[in-house]
Every structure is written in C-alpha cells, then in structure tokens.
Amino acid sequence: GYVNMLDRWGKDDPAVREEAIAAIKNESEHMKVLIDQLLFLARGEMDRHVLDMKPLNSCSIMEEIYDESIMLEAELPEEKRHEFDASELYADDNLKTFMISADEAMIKQAVRILRDNAMKYTPAGGQIHVQVEAWEMYLKIDIADTGIGIPEQHQGTIFKRFYREDAVHDVEGIGIGLYLAREIISLQGGYIRVASEVGKGSVFSVFLLRK
C-alpha cells in the first residue's frame, strides 16, 4: 500500500514520501525478524541447528544489549519511552570474569526477544530492569518490567508456539518469540523461568551453565 502511495503521489510530495519510506522501512524490519524466526523453527524441525559454542564473557554480552536498548529507546517518541535501569547490572564485581560456554549470536537473540517483549508489554514511562548474577552453577540473567503482567493460568503456556493471550492481541506479534527464546536457551543446556503478577509486571530469568 505504501509503495503504491509512494509511486502515485510521493515523487512530488515530501510529506507523503517521508511517511511512506518510514512505514516501508519499519515493515521490512518486522518482516526480516519474522523470516529469521520461521527459519529457526524450520531448522529445528529438521534437527539442523549448528551451534558455535565458545567461551564468552557474559557481562560483555549484557552490556552490549543494554547499550543497544538505550539506542532503541532513543528512537522512540519521548512520550512512548521506558526507563531502562542497569544501575545494578552486576550483583557483584566477580561477575565481570564469569565465563559461559555458548553460541554468542543465539544467546543475544534470546535475550533480545525477552527485552523486546518487556518493551512491548510495558506501558510508556514504565521501568525495565536488567541484572546478572551467579546462581549455583549458572549465570542468571533477569529482565524485569513493570508491565501488564501475565495471569497465573497462562504462565505455563506462554512458551508454546504461536500462543497469544487473548488480552494482548492488540500488541504486534505472532506468538513465537518466547518459544524461540526457550528453544535457544535449552539447546545450550540452560532454561528460562517466569514470575509475573497482573498489573505489576514480569521477571523473565535465563539460566546458563557456567563454563
């Protein structure tokens, strides 16, 4: 639709051109994410996932994702932004040398899915808190928000493929993000837990084995 509008009127109207280009860019980015997710599903069904496991500094990954999150927020109109809190990113300084064995690209993808969900389901002005800590033989990554929360009866089903709670159908998505995040973490010997309360927010915790 926007391509047709651009073709008909956008050549001579800067306002139409700017609106159409922004919309096309936005939808193209959404389509790329969707295609990547569907390809991941297809590879999984054919058992063709190839992991590039190597020693990683867990904190450098989280710092990168935090910096990226701040940049994403800066691109939003001011009235739609959230408050990202990483003031206590590390539970203690020893975590700066905490190593995990993982596929870096996949771990980043899983954490980004959880981060993006927190942004989608947290009203503007709400807070998103990120923290990393050691938990027994695991690295624990918490992504907490002050969003709409998840009813208790749905917390066991949100990781199913294409599952979407009726109350959030007005939020963009097709219901495979959390499934992908869980699969990615599971492939690398970890797991995800969720704690949530309606109206107060959610905490998604990722557990990755220490190297």
Side-chain angles (χ1 to χ4, degrees), residues 135-147:
W135 191 83
E136 296 181 355
M137 292 303 295
Y138 292 89
L139 172 81
K140 180 171 174 267
I141 301 170
D142 284 338
I143 299 177
D145 63 59
T146 56

Side-chain angles (χ1 to χ4, degrees), residues 124-179:
Q127 190 175 77
I128 298 169
H129 179 76
V130 182
Q131 187 177 56
V132 180
E133 63 179 296
W135 191 83
E136 296 181 355
M137 292 303 295
Y138 292 89
L139 172 81
K140 180 171 174 267
I141 301 170
D142 284 338
I143 299 177
D145 63 59
T146 56
I148 62 175
I150 305 162
E152 186 176 354
Q153 66 270 27
H154 295 297
Q155 291 175 25
T157 55
I158 57 173
F159 293 101
K160 291 183 178 179
R161 275 197 295 183
F162 305 113
Y163 173 80
R164 301 208 73 209
E165 187 190 335
D166 291 340
V168 297
H169 277 180
D170 59 330
V171 179
E172 189 174 82
I174 62 170
I176 59 176
L178 288 178
Y179 171 83

Side-chain angles (χ1 to χ4, degrees), residues 39-51 183 187:
L39 286 172
F40 185 92
L41 288 180
R43 285 194 294 269
E45 289 174 352
M46 294 184 288
D47 199 22
R48 289 187 179 178
H49 285 304
V50 178
L51 300 179
E183 288 297 296
L187 280 170

Side-chain angles (χ1 to χ4, degrees), residues 59 120-121 128 136 149 171 180 192 202:
C59 293
K120 280 198 297 187
Y121 296 111
I128 298 169
E136 296 181 355
V171 179
L180 290 180
I192 299 178
S202 304

Side-chain angles (χ1 to χ4, degrees), residues 30-44 49 109 112-113 116-117 120 161-162 173-181 184:
H30 286 313
M31 187 63 70
K32 179 185 181 300
V33 170
L34 176 60
I35 290 170
D36 286 344
Q37 290 177 340
L38 293 174
L39 286 172
F40 185 92
L41 288 180
R43 285 194 294 269
H49 285 304
Q109 183 182 2
R112 282 171 178 143
I113 287 171
D116 291 348
N117 263 24
K120 280 198 297 187
R161 275 197 295 183
F162 305 113
I174 62 170
I176 59 176
L178 288 178
Y179 171 83
L180 290 180
I184 288 170

Side-chain angles (χ1 to χ4, degrees), residues 52-83:
D52 182 18
M53 303 291 282
K54 58 186 179 182
L56 298 173
N57 183 297
S58 53
C59 293
S60 64
I61 293 174
M62 292 308 300
E63 287 173 357
E64 180 182 334
I65 290 176
Y66 172 73
D67 290 341
E68 177 188 284
S69 302
I70 297 302
M71 288 190 291
L72 287 173
E73 284 290 320
E75 292 177 1
L76 295 174
E78 192 167 347
E79 67 275 10
K80 293 185 178 181
R81 293 178 188 170
H82 307 93
E83 181 184 342

